[in-house]
Amino acid sequence: MLMTILDGSIVTVAMPAIQHDLGFTSAGLSWVVNAYLIAFGGLLLLAGRLGDLLGRKRMFLAGTTVFTGASVLAGCASSPGLLITARFLQGLGSAMASAVALGILITLFTTPRERAKAIAAFSFTGAAGASLGQVLGGVLTDALDWHWIFFINLPIGVAALLLALPALPADRGLGLRAGADVIGALLVTSGLMLGIYTVVEVERYGWTSGRTLGLGALSLALLAAFTVRQARARTPLVPLRIFRSRTVVGANLVQMLMVAALFAFQILVALYLQRVLGYGAGATGLAMLPAALSIGAVSLGVSARLNARFGERNVLLAGLVLLLAALGLLTRLPVDADYATDLLPVMLLAAGFGLALPALTTLGMSGADDADAGLASGLFNTTQQIGMALGVAVLSTLAASRTESRQAAGSSPAEALTSGYHLAFGIGAALLLAAVALAATLLRSAVSRETTARG
């Protein structure tokens, strides 16, 4: 999981080197990220349900194998087309492995204490992968070259396979007859992939263009048709009972808002460091390292104990408030920021993610039984990917628009860029504020209701 999440962010600081070496156009370069996101986000829900039907261990091993092989192909890429193809295959492998990972944990660790520790470790690897990706991307690109940001996945993938074979118990799955809905599979996969494609292309075409509105409407129509199909099918691919739990629905909505703010935060802070302060790739990665360390220390060190003592909802709220403070500080960044006083406090406040994600993961999986564990896992990861795509598209577009208007008004490039980032961080803070409101209301009533029902 560290490997697959890391891969989503490791390319960000290596993009200039990739563009220079392979001759990408500015528009084409975005597909190094977009091809991965579309395959990953579009196939998660399908892969999660197939894991329930065919066996979660089988799906995890197959996905890890596909991802590792695709990483080698990406590292050997000598043309833009080959790299984009490899990135799509990486996204496919990531979806297959990630979609069932949480489901495996939920079914293996059944007592609350064990499950809390397992989810804390899982959340740590996800948060650390997202943060360490930029660190490793910068260090490897400077020390070796960009090819090694993909080759590094080979030893990790082989080690994961060798450990998983004996460690994960075999599970036969429910069988395809329990949910072999081919039409539903085509509808949900095409709807999600088209929706994510539409969002990642917003920066190029704009939100109000006919292309964006048309493709967005088609995506929503496909997903609506999928919902109708699942309500009527004898063996639905995604049984709609998974959405009966208000806790599950609320946790996924909160996650979408939180991830939309924080994934864009990672990318925009890296751009600020490089384009405004003049940091190199390696220095940018090292500047982001305190965030990874603080997230890891909190998620592994104290999150499980805090969840057991104060409850997931309260810990989630505390984490969201810390993250809200971090983005609030970023809205005040000066053009000539000092790292120790202006940026280091933000990196340390990122520890809130180490509190929020384990609590949110527990809530997001709380309404799933063993038969639907893979489905719930795929749903949770799908909302995460949709949040990432929306966050990057919305906040990057707003930042670019503000930057252009400030440059047209006579501001210097650094001042215009900083102003654009300020706007994006402010919108991100508003998203987190909405997440706090949802967690404080929807999750409170849902948790109290389910606690009463158990009592």
Side-chain angles (χ1 to χ4, degrees):
M1 286 309 302
L2 175 70
M3 175 179 67
T4 58
I5 298 298
L6 179 149
D7 204 74
S9 61
I10 195 171
V11 299
T12 53
V13 294
M15 296 281 269
I18 292 173
Q19 182 177 20
H20 178 268
D21 196 13
L22 297 186
F24 271 99
T25 63
S26 296
L29 184 64
S30 65
W31 281 97
V32 177
V33 174
N34 293 347
Y36 182 85
L37 286 177
I38 290 169
F40 192 7
L43 294 167
L44 276 166
L45 202 57
L46 174 61
R49 187 55 178 167
L50 288 178
D52 290 332
L53 301 177
L54 300 175
R56 286 183 281 272
K57 178 178 181 178
R58 185 181 302 171
M59 184 64 69
F60 180 83
L61 294 176
T64 304
T65 301
V66 170
F67 179 86
T68 305
S71 296
V72 175
L73 181 63
C76 295
S78 57
S79 67
L82 184 57
L83 180 58
I84 291 172
T85 300
R87 289 289 287 164
F88 185 90
L89 292 173
Q90 279 187 303
L92 169 63
S94 290
M96 295 168 66
S98 302
V100 297
L102 271 175
I104 290 173
L105 291 186
I106 293 300
T107 54
L108 286 182
F109 300 96
T110 55
T111 66
R113 182 177 294 274
E114 286 182 340
R115 183 173 291 182
K117 290 181 179 179
I119 287 179
F122 179 87
S123 300
F124 162 73
T125 60
S131 299
L132 287 174
Q134 292 178 317
V135 178
L136 287 176
V139 171
L140 290 172
T141 301
D142 280 352
L144 299 170
D145 59 49
W146 65 265
H147 298 274
W148 284 92
I149 68 175
F150 301 114
F151 286 144
I152 195 175
N153 291 330
L154 178 60
I156 300 175
V158 171
L161 288 169
L162 292 176
L163 288 170
L165 281 169
L168 299 182
D171 57 317
R172 296 178 58 87
L174 301 173
L176 287 177
R177 291 184 179 180
D181 180 12
V182 176
I183 296 176
L186 292 174
L187 287 171
V188 70
T189 303
S190 57
L192 286 172
M193 293 183 74
L194 181 60
I196 294 173
Y197 168 77
T198 303
V199 169
V200 299
E201 288 284 88
V202 160
E203 189 171 356
R204 182 178 178 185
Y205 293 100
W207 286 100
T208 59
S209 69
R211 176 190 176 92
T212 299
L213 295 175
L215 292 179
L218 178 58
S219 172
L220 291 175
L222 288 169
L223 293 175
F226 166 73
T227 303
V228 173
R229 170 74 183 180
Q230 299 312 287
R232 297 178 177 178
R234 294 182 60 185
T235 56
L237 180 72
V238 178
L240 297 183
R241 62 178 177 268
I242 193 70
F243 299 106
R244 292 175 185 168
S245 170
R246 289 181 62 188
T247 304
V248 171
V249 174
N252 278 279
L253 289 174
V254 170
Q255 178 185 225
M256 190 180 298
L257 292 169
M258 181 181 76
V259 170
L262 294 182
F263 192 67
F265 149 77
Q266 280 192 316
I267 292 177
L268 294 176
V269 168
L271 289 174
Y272 170 81
L273 289 169
Q274 295 186 55
R275 298 174 67 183
V276 177
L277 299 187
Y279 283 36
T284 298
L286 292 174
M288 304 288 286
L289 183 59
L293 294 177
S294 61
I295 291 170
V298 170
S299 60
L300 271 184
V302 299
S303 65
R305 293 197 296 271
L306 291 176
N307 284 335
R309 181 170 182 180
F310 299 105
E312 291 86 3
R313 170 187 165 274
N314 291 328
V315 175
L316 169 62
L317 287 171
L320 289 173
V321 168
L322 290 177
L323 295 173
L324 185 58
L327 287 188
L329 290 177
L330 287 174
T331 62
R332 301 168 58 86
L333 278 178
V335 174
D336 55 348
D338 176 73
Y339 180 81
T341 58
D342 295 315
L343 286 163
L344 183 58
V346 173
M347 302 300 170
L348 297 178
L349 285 170
F353 196 63
L355 291 177
L357 189 58
L360 200 54
T361 303
T362 301
L363 292 168
M365 296 295 294
S366 63
D369 55 27
D370 287 354
D372 293 331
L375 172 60
S377 175
L379 175 64
F380 194 76
N381 282 288
T382 297
T383 58
Q384 187 177 89
Q385 293 304 309
I386 292 173
M388 288 180 181
L390 282 172
V392 172
V394 174
L395 299 191
S396 296
T397 301
L398 291 173
S401 178
R402 169 69 71 85
T403 297
E404 290 175 3
S405 65
R406 287 302 173 91
Q407 283 184 317
S411 298
S412 68
E415 291 172 340
L417 284 168
T418 303
S419 178
Y421 297 143
H422 283 171
L423 175 62
F425 294 138
I427 299 298
L431 294 177
L432 286 177
L433 193 59
V436 170
L438 275 177
T441 54
L442 183 59
L443 291 183
R444 178 176 59 186
S445 59
V447 170
S448 62
R449 179 178 298 180
E450 290 176 13
T451 302
T452 302
R454 287 195 298 268

